[in-house]
Structure formats: C-alpha cells, structure tokens
Amino acid sequence: MGVSGLWGLIEPTGKQVDPARLCGKVVAVDVSIWLHQSIRGMRTQQGEMVQNAHLLTVFSRVCTLLALQIKPVFVFDGVAPSLKTQTLALRRKRREHGQDEIKRAQQKLLENHIRKHVLKDGSAPVPIPVLPRTSAGGDPDADLFRLPKHSRTPSAAAAAAA
C-alpha cells in the first residue's frame, strides 16, 4: 500500500514531532491508514478481529487529538494517481486469479463429494440418513430437539433443597 520508497525520499527532511507541540494547530489526517491499521492490528487474545475496531480506533485517536487541542482535518483517498495504475491492475489480476482458484477448488470438492457418496455403488444413489427423533432416554415419543418441561415453582425448589 502507499507509494513505494516514499519514506526514503522524505527521510532527510522528515523528523518526529511531539504531538504536544502541535497544540492549537490544524493537522491533516490520512483516515485510510487509520482504518487499515485498526482492521489489521486490533485483535483479541484469540487472534479474532475486534468488533467495530475501526470505530474504536478513530474515536480514541480523535479524542487524543482534541485533548491536545489539535484540530484534525480528515483526508480520504481520491482517485489513484496514474503512477499507481499498474500496481492496481496487478492487484486486481491477483484477486481475480484467487477467485478463480476458489471456484476451481469448490468444483473439485463437489465432484469428489458426488463421486464418494452419490455414485458409491455405480449409479444407485446412497439413501440420506434420517436423524432419529428419540431422546437419549429412549422415549420414542420424545422429540430430540424439544426442551424438557420443568414445573418447578420457587416453593417446590425450596422444598427440594431442604
């Protein structure tokens, strides 16, 4: 993402600035990098994405800027520059190739499933098993998916505990 080699070009003139020194100033903020960082970086301990990570990141960073009395001006991506046309075309081609690979894999899985299960005995279809509707207790009238009926009232629960 971004312009390749940009940091090498600006390194001689660029310097880190303490945000407190920007108090009372107007600062341009590249929102797309904030969103990219939040989506890529905010994970739970299990490695899953944090829900609404983009909102949490933008909100906390805006609050920090405002607390330092920095006025943010948000900049969003516009049309890609002509220098990036080739890079975007390459990304699109890779993405389309990936989608083609996924479709081929899905087709192969489906064909294997058909060969394994449907055409097992030549052309005779394999019967689809039916789940039993009996409960674990063996009562044929009890539905496996029905919740048991409990008629415990608070007074009955107290009596059973005593």
Side-chain angles (χ1 to χ4, degrees):
M1 295 204 98
V3 179
S4 196
L6 176 64
W7 293 114
L9 288 172
I10 63 171
E11 187 176 18
T13 57
K15 59 184 175 186
Q16 287 187 347
V17 177
D18 181 21
R21 289 185 47 207
L22 299 173
C23 179
K25 303 224 185 231
V26 177
V27 176
V29 175
D30 180 4
V31 176
S32 62
I33 194 67
W34 279 13
L35 297 175
H36 179 75
Q37 288 171 343
S38 64
I39 290 171
R40 297 282 182 182
M42 289 187 75
R43 303 283 174 176
T44 63
Q45 289 180 342
Q46 292 77 26
E48 298 170 2
M49 276 184 47
V50 173
Q51 189 174 8
N52 297 322
H54 59 296
L55 298 175
L56 295 170
T57 299
V58 171
F59 182 75
S60 72
R61 290 181 180 181
V62 167
C63 287
T64 301
L65 291 175
L66 294 176
L68 293 169
Q69 296 178 354
I70 298 171
K71 298 174 186 168
V73 173
F74 300 104
V75 180
F76 292 87
D77 288 340
V79 178
S82 58
L83 289 173
K84 203 170 180 181
T85 306
Q86 187 177 13
T87 304
L88 293 174
L90 183 62
R91 286 181 190 164
R92 191 180 314 86
K93 187 175 180 180
R94 266 191 265 154
R95 190 171 40 250
E96 288 169 358
H97 178 70
Q99 291 298 323
D100 291 343
E101 289 294 319
I102 289 171
K103 285 180 185 176
R104 273 190 236 118
Q106 287 173 336
Q107 185 65 33
K108 204 175 225 180
L109 284 169
L110 181 60
E111 288 172 4
N112 287 338
H113 178 75
I114 290 170
R115 278 192 200 104
K116 184 176 180 182
H117 295 287
V118 177
L119 303 175
K120 202 172 203 175
D121 299 326
S123 62
V126 175
I128 299 172
V130 177
L131 289 175
R133 290 184 52 99
T134 60
S135 67
D139 181 7
D141 296 326
D143 187 347
L144 179 65
F145 302 105
R146 186 175 299 145
L147 292 174
K149 292 181 182 177
H150 291 285
S151 60
R152 264 196 165 176
T153 60
S155 59

